[in-house]
Amino acid sequence: MSHFGTLLIGHTAMVLHYLFFAYVVFGGFLALIRPRLFWPHLGVAAYALGILVVGWSCFLTEFENASREATGREVMENGFIDHHLTGVVYPEDQLMTSRFVIAGIIAASYALCAWRLYRARAARRRPVGVRTAE
């Protein structure tokens, strides 16, 4: 493959990484608009957690690193987040804080989804003509 093609694969993987990361963090809120997106997001969030906690490899990191190596650029030793975000978006010594903030954002989106589901089910059980104090 040409140098340009290899660079294109690497840069595409990097862009997809940013999109994947944004979906992991904020995708739960999409489920408020499109409830069918809850289960795919739960799967993606579980996969991201597995990458972080269990040490699963990320296929996007593999593509990006293969491109970096083939084009003579620095390989990401500790993955996408450590290479592109740590020290840029937040200070290096705040890595754990950033993880807790991200987990809090995901938990808040899931709590909102649960609250909306609870309200929808309660509305279906309410007899017609009964008003609630709001």
Side-chain angles (χ1 to χ4, degrees):
M1 181 177 286
S2 72
H3 183 78
F4 176 75
T6 306
L7 276 174
L8 184 62
I9 289 171
H11 289 303
T12 301
M14 180 187 62
V15 169
L16 290 174
H17 248 133
Y18 277 108
L19 292 172
F20 177 80
F21 183 73
Y23 183 65
V24 167
V25 177
F26 300 110
F29 292 106
L30 287 175
L32 292 169
I33 300 166
R34 303 256 188 242
R36 283 182 258 154
L37 293 178
F38 175 78
W39 294 109
H41 183 266
L42 184 63
V44 166
Y47 177 63
L49 185 64
I51 291 170
L52 189 66
V53 175
V54 179
W56 294 341
S57 65
C58 175
F59 66 95
L60 290 171
T61 300
E62 301 298 327
F63 278 118
E64 191 172 347
N65 272 341
S67 168
R68 288 174 162 278
E69 188 173 10
T71 56
R73 295 178 295 146
E74 175 190 5
V75 174
M76 299 181 296
E77 294 293 328
N78 297 317
F80 171 80
I81 292 175
D82 288 346
H83 187 81
H84 289 288
L85 301 177
T86 303
V88 177
V89 176
Y90 53 85
E92 288 184 32
D93 62 335
Q94 296 299 317
L95 176 62
M96 210 51 178
T97 303
S98 71
R99 289 178 177 173
F100 284 128
V101 168
I102 290 167
I105 292 169
I106 295 169
S109 71
Y110 287 176
L112 286 170
C113 287
W115 177 77
R116 181 168 281 179
L117 179 64
Y118 170 78
R119 299 269 301 166
R121 286 184 177 171
R124 283 194 302 250
R125 284 192 298 257
R126 191 178 315 127
V128 176
V130 175
R131 299 179 109 182
T132 60
E134 290 187 19

